[in-house]
Amino acid sequence: MDVEVRYLRALVAVVDAQTFTDAAIDLRTSQAAVSRSVAALERALGLRILQRTTRSITPTPAGERVIAHARRVLAEVALLERAARDHNSELKIGYAWSALGARTAALQSKWTQAHPDVDLVWVQTYAASGGLADGSADVAVVRRPVSDNRFASTLIGREGRYAAVATEDPLARKRFLRMADFAGHTLAVDHRTGTTTEDLWSGSARPASFRQVQGVDEWLMLISTGQAIGMSSEATAAQNPRPGVVYRLVRDAPPISVFLASRRDDPSALVADFARLARETFDPDNAAQTSH
């Protein structure tokens, strides 16, 4: 039997994402590679793990047990990697769209002063866990708490919401927008890692339609070509300038909470100190938040 860790990562990613396509995005590989890994695992174990149809992916009874074991193995591998990481002078930070935006450079500077021998490695990932589940990140910057009980989320601050519109759009001529300005427009949203959801609006002020995207590049492409408008955090506005796109503050929009997520079983002093510095960088008066 030849079971590789990458096979287990592929399996868990498919189960969590519910599609091979989204699992490939989370793992930053191709759909074909994910399919091959799952098939190789099934051959190695000699059993069917996933029942596939054109509409769904469902674990078989035997597959449920394999998946539970796979999660435990990956958790142990992640602990092993983190133990080595503290000696290899590297801390991986997962983020989806924008990390901390304009504050990212300040945090990097604080970290370099505090830990000159430990590199911060910024890892962009569109996985819901920010890369924690598959071990690609040690800490994740997320804008909604991670629902998986294996991870703890710590609030570090709040941001304003900004609209993103094409430069030729009449909305671009305004100094700021309000929620009602989105009425009648197509709104590009990322349900997996984005911060904009349909329940932000009520009544006739709602956008006319919502168009699903996969990540910030597709989001910006739709906006710059006038096919949709968008709304995201101030960090997105700061970190993702794009020709043909302008950002405007949405004055009456509810703020966005920014969290750091990490494994509950991670005793690393590096993770703890990164969280401290991130809170101080985001808001010096907000440095005593608790995990939940």
Side-chain angles (χ1 to χ4, degrees):
M1 184 182 296
D2 186 12
V3 175
E4 299 185 22
V5 171
R6 63 190 175 99
Y7 298 166
L8 303 181
R9 286 199 171 113
L11 172 64
V12 170
V14 170
V15 172
D16 289 344
Q18 284 298 293
T19 72
F20 281 81
T21 300
D22 287 345
I25 293 172
D26 293 346
L27 296 175
R28 308 185 76 175
T29 186
S30 67
Q31 180 179 338
V34 173
S35 297
R36 285 195 298 270
S37 290
V38 173
L41 179 60
E42 290 180 325
R43 286 196 302 272
L45 297 178
L47 54 83
R48 175 61 64 89
I49 299 173
L50 299 177
Q51 193 68 43
R52 308 162 180 84
T53 70
T54 56
R55 295 184 177 180
S56 66
I57 297 172
T58 306
T60 64
E64 293 279 8
R65 295 192 294 274
V66 171
I67 292 163
H69 286 298
R71 291 189 189 279
R72 287 194 288 271
V73 170
L74 291 177
E76 290 299 321
V77 170
L79 284 173
L80 177 63
E81 291 174 340
R82 286 195 295 278
R85 173 206 62 211
D86 283 353
H87 297 284
N88 288 339
S89 301
E90 179 180 281
L91 188 67
K92 295 177 290 186
I93 314 301
Y95 70 97
W97 284 42
S98 51
L100 295 184
R103 298 177 178 90
T104 306
L107 175 55
Q108 179 77 53
S109 178
K110 284 177 179 288
W111 180 265
T112 300
Q113 292 176 17
H115 300 278
D117 298 325
V118 181
D119 293 332
L120 286 185
V121 178
W122 297 90
V123 180
Q124 188 171 34
T125 172
Y126 292 112
S129 70
L132 296 174
D134 65 5
S136 60
D138 306 308
V139 186
V141 179
V142 295
R143 285 170 171 79
R144 51 192 181 194
V146 179
S147 59
D148 192 319
N149 289 331
R150 293 174 296 168
F151 312 123
S153 299
T154 301
L155 177 69
I156 60 173
R158 291 182 172 84
E159 299 174 312
R161 294 180 189 264
Y162 277 70
V165 300
T167 54
E168 302 301 320
D169 192 303
L171 293 176
R173 296 197 288 270
K174 296 189 174 187
R175 290 188 298 116
F176 61 87
L177 271 63
R178 297 192 181 277
M179 295 293 286
D181 290 319
F182 291 81
H185 291 272
T186 296
L187 191 69
V189 296
D190 182 345
H191 290 309
R192 299 188 65 204
T193 58
T195 57
T196 304
T197 57
E198 299 179 17
D199 58 8
L200 290 174
W201 287 268
S202 61
S204 60
R206 291 169 58 84
S209 61
F210 295 84
R211 184 163 174 178
Q212 174 70 15
V213 300
Q214 297 276 6
V216 66
D217 286 336
E218 184 181 353
W219 185 76
L220 286 169
M221 179 61 72
L222 286 178
I223 294 167
S224 65
T225 55
Q227 299 177 67
I229 63 176
M231 184 164 66
S232 189
S233 69
E234 64 182 69
T236 298
Q239 195 162 316
N240 292 282
R242 174 69 64 92
V245 175
V246 297
Y247 292 95
R248 296 289 183 264
L249 176 66
V250 184
R251 279 195 171 177
D252 60 345
I256 296 171
S257 296
V258 184
F259 301 90
L260 286 185
S262 59
R263 297 192 67 93
R264 293 185 186 276
D265 60 0
D266 191 347
S268 169
L270 292 178
V271 170
D273 205 40
F274 180 83
R276 177 185 67 82
L277 292 174
R279 287 193 295 269
E280 291 178 0
T281 302
F282 201 97
D283 183 353
D285 298 324
N286 189 38
Q289 295 289 341
T290 59
S291 296
H292 61 278

